């Protein structure tokens, strides 16, 4: 952490001092100024015809004012100006002008008090110079010499402390500004790090959801068909051995396909775990960058996923399992973005899987419409011949949720519900190009 002004004040000093060493310094300066003014007060008392003790006391009181220079710099300078005619307070005036110029007092006040001090010093210097020259008998000096020397002496006593104070004050304010900016920058960096961690957590959650949805859509469909075919094998094993052998072969093929797809997904997960272990201990921003690169790689790999051109093969698998499925295509097929193709395929796939699970023996109608700027698909099945019949496949309740998430992620519309005839209908409309929220998602 950087050191701020609040932390300086936290160190603390007596009364108005921020640090103890400042109090010691001001006390030493006030003591020196009091001794100087006390000595000079002797000469002032003798010249003014006053008691020496009174002059010394006046000098001590006036010089001691320097102890409050940080709290009331203007008052210190005014006291120095007031005792200038007594030719006292050189240290008081010098340190007072420096402190006033370095303080946060408005510039106009600094200018006025500096001008008053310069005028007082000029008058006293001119009088003392004229008096000193007059004491020299027979001296001949030009008229301009005395004013010039007085001006030079007054400026020499006034300008250096003021200029030095202005420089030190400006430098101090610059350092405080830089310190404040460093503190604010550190705070912003901490906020950015926290937001990066939040984005990383969100990205991990999204990736887990995507993987779960993908495994559900891919594996559940294959396994559902395997269960349906296995039930069919059990039903016709004794009556029609040839059909039983055919169905058993289909079960084996679908099992191998399911294992292949599951192996590919597990390979991606293992690669992700290796990537996570390689960036463990890195800064959050770097981890986010690596995760983004990995996401881009997976998005590129998604181009090899299923598409609408494979719907016939998908429907053929359901027909082989005994389902009556019809396909209706309206409009001319065109190439869509890979994520649109894959999402449309997964919607039809999951809808047919639900028919196998919940409406065994019912027929299904698959409609695909290619429109201007969008593609629509609908899967509708009739009422099952026997409620609760069929293979009694378990359901995790994630099919409709996954379909809705896929469609909404691409900026599409998803509707599902029962029909008046007792069946079920799933409808989805996808834009030809994915929306901003669906960029890069599968």
């Amino acid at each position: 952490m950087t050191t701020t002004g609040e932390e300086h004040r936290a160190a603390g000093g007596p009364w108005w001092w921020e640090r103890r060493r400042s109090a010691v310094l001001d006390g030493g300066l006030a003591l020196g100024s009091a001794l100087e003014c006390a000595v000079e007060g002797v000469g002032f008392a003798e010249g003014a015809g006053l008691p020496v003790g009174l002059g010394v006391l006046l000098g001590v009181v006036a010089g001691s004012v320097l102890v409050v220079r940080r709290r009331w710099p203007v008052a210190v300078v005014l006291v120095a100006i007031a005792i200038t005619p007594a030719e006292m307070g050189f240290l008081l005036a010098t340190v007072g002008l420096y402190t006033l110029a370095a303080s946060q007092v408005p510039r106009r006040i600094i200018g006025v008090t500096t001008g008053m001090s310069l005028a007082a010093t000029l008058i006293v210097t001119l009088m003392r110079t004229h008096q000193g020259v007059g004491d020299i008998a027979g001296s001949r000096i030009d008229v301009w010499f005395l004013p010039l020397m007085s001006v030079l002496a007054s400026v020499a006593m006034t300008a250096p402390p003021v200029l030095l104070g202005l420089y030190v004050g400006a430098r101090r304010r610059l350092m405080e500004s830089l310190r404040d900016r460093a503190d604010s920058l550190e705070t912003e960096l901490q906020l950015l790090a926290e937001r990066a961690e939040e984005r990383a957590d969100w990205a991990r959650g999204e990736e887990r959801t995507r993987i779960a949805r993908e495994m559900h859509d891919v594996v559940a469909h294959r396994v559902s068909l395997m269960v349906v075919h296995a039930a069919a094998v059990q039903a016709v094993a004794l009556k029609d051995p040839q059909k039983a052998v055919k169905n058993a072969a289909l079960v084996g093929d679908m099992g191998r396909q399911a294992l292949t797809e599951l192996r590919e997904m597990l390979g991606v997960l293992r690669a992700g775990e290796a990537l996570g272990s390689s960036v463990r201990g890195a800064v959050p921003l770097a981890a986010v960058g690596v995760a983004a690169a990995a996401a881009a790689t997976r998005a590129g790999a998604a181009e090899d996923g299923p598409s609408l051109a494979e719907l016939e093969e998908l429907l053929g698998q359901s027909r082989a399992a005994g389902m009556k499925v019809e396909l209706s295509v309206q409009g001319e097929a065109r190439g869509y973005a890979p994520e649109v193709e894959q999402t449309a395929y997964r919607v039809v796939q999951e809808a047919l899987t639900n028919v196998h699970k919940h409406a065994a023996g019912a027929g299904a109608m698959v409609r695909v419409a290619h429109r201007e700027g969008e593609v629509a698909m609908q899967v509708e099945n009739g009422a099952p011949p026997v409620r609760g019949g069929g293979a009694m496949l378990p359901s995790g309740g994630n099919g409709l949720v996954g379909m809705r998430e896929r469609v909404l992620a691409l900026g599409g519309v998803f509707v599902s519900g029962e029909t008046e005839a007792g069946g079920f209908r799933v409808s989805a409309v996808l834009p030809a190009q994915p929306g901003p929220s669906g960029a890069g998602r599968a």
Side-chain angles (χ1 to χ4, degrees):
M1 285 287 292
T2 56
T3 304
T4 62
E6 293 296 333
E7 291 174 345
H8 278 305
R9 283 187 287 275
W15 296 336
W16 57 82
W17 287 283
E18 297 177 357
R19 288 168 290 185
R20 295 185 182 277
R21 64 179 183 180
S22 299
V24 173
L25 175 62
D26 289 353
L29 290 174
L31 180 60
S33 177
L35 292 176
E36 177 204 352
C37 293
V39 173
E40 294 171 343
V42 175
F44 168 71
E46 293 177 351
L50 298 175
V52 175
L54 181 60
V56 173
L57 179 62
L58 177 63
V60 170
V61 172
S64 300
V65 175
L66 201 58
V67 75
V68 298
R69 69 184 185 95
R70 298 177 190 266
R71 187 69 179 271
W72 296 293
V74 177
V76 173
V77 176
L78 292 178
V79 171
I81 294 173
I83 64 174
T84 299
E87 300 182 17
M88 292 191 301
F90 174 77
L91 179 61
L92 177 66
T94 302
V95 178
L97 288 174
Y98 163 80
T99 305
L100 178 63
S103 66
Q104 300 289 342
V105 175
R107 293 297 177 86
R108 62 177 181 276
I109 297 179
I110 296 176
V112 171
T113 52
T114 301
M116 294 171 58
S117 177
L118 178 63
T121 305
L122 176 61
I123 294 174
V124 173
T125 303
L126 182 61
M127 292 178 59
R128 293 298 300 170
T129 305
H130 182 74
Q131 182 180 358
V133 172
D135 293 339
I136 302 175
S139 62
R140 298 183 60 185
I141 300 177
D142 295 335
V143 178
W144 54 266
F145 178 76
L146 293 180
L148 177 61
M149 294 301 297
S150 300
V151 169
L152 292 177
S154 302
V155 172
M157 288 186 293
T158 306
V162 173
L163 295 177
L164 180 61
L166 291 175
Y167 167 75
V168 172
R171 185 175 179 275
R172 182 186 300 140
R173 287 187 289 272
L174 176 62
M175 294 300 295
E176 291 178 355
S177 175
L178 293 177
R179 188 180 297 115
D180 292 340
R181 291 176 62 183
D183 291 340
S184 62
L185 180 60
E186 183 177 2
T187 303
E188 291 177 4
L189 288 177
Q190 291 177 351
L191 291 176
L192 288 176
E194 293 175 359
R195 292 177 182 175
E197 288 288 350
E198 293 176 358
R199 287 196 296 269
D201 293 339
W202 176 84
R204 286 191 291 268
E206 286 290 308
E207 188 64 13
R208 285 193 294 268
T209 302
R210 187 190 72 83
I211 293 173
R213 184 169 58 238
E214 195 71 20
M215 294 183 68
H216 177 273
D217 291 348
V218 174
V219 179
H221 178 73
R222 303 289 187 193
V223 174
S224 298
L225 292 179
M226 289 170 60
V227 174
V228 172
H229 282 293
V233 170
Q234 184 180 5
V236 301
L238 298 178
K239 299 179 182 179
D240 192 348
Q242 292 183 353
K243 187 174 182 181
V245 171
K246 182 180 178 181
N247 286 338
L250 289 174
V251 171
D253 291 339
M254 291 178 184
R256 283 186 289 272
Q257 292 176 1
L259 286 175
T260 301
E261 293 172 346
L262 183 60
R263 188 180 299 112
E264 292 176 354
M265 280 188 242
L266 291 177
V268 173
L269 289 177
R270 290 193 184 98
E273 291 175 359
L275 177 63
S277 63
S278 65
V279 299
R280 190 170 298 144
V283 295
L285 293 179
V288 171
V290 174
T297 303
R298 290 192 295 270
E303 296 180 0
D304 299 329
S307 63
L308 289 174
E310 303 176 27
L311 281 183
E312 282 292 349
E313 180 182 354
L314 178 64
L315 270 59
Q317 296 172 359
S318 294
R319 293 190 184 104
M323 181 189 295
K324 296 180 180 179
V325 186
E326 297 181 9
L327 176 63
S328 173
V329 180
Q330 299 178 359
E332 183 179 356
R334 59 179 68 91
Y336 300 104
E339 51 267 39
V340 175
E341 293 269 355
Q342 186 175 359
T343 299
Y345 179 92
R346 295 301 187 200
V347 168
V348 176
Q349 182 187 55
E350 178 58 27
L352 292 177
T353 302
N354 288 340
V355 176
H356 285 292
K357 288 182 178 180
H358 309 294
M365 182 68 185
V366 179
R367 300 181 180 89
V368 179
H370 301 279
R371 303 168 185 167
E372 185 67 27
E374 64 182 18
V375 58
M377 69 284 312
Q378 183 183 88
V379 180
E380 181 178 352
N381 64 273
V386 179
R387 291 285 180 178
M392 296 298 292
L393 293 170
S395 174
N398 296 318
L400 294 176
V401 175
M403 285 189 282
R404 180 182 299 275
E405 289 177 351
R406 285 181 178 274
V407 173
L408 296 182
L410 299 181
V413 179
F414 179 83
V415 179
S416 63
E418 296 184 358
T419 62
E420 297 179 356
F424 200 84
R425 181 187 298 118
V426 173
S427 302
V429 179
L430 296 173
Q433 297 294 333
S437 62
R441 294 186 181 181

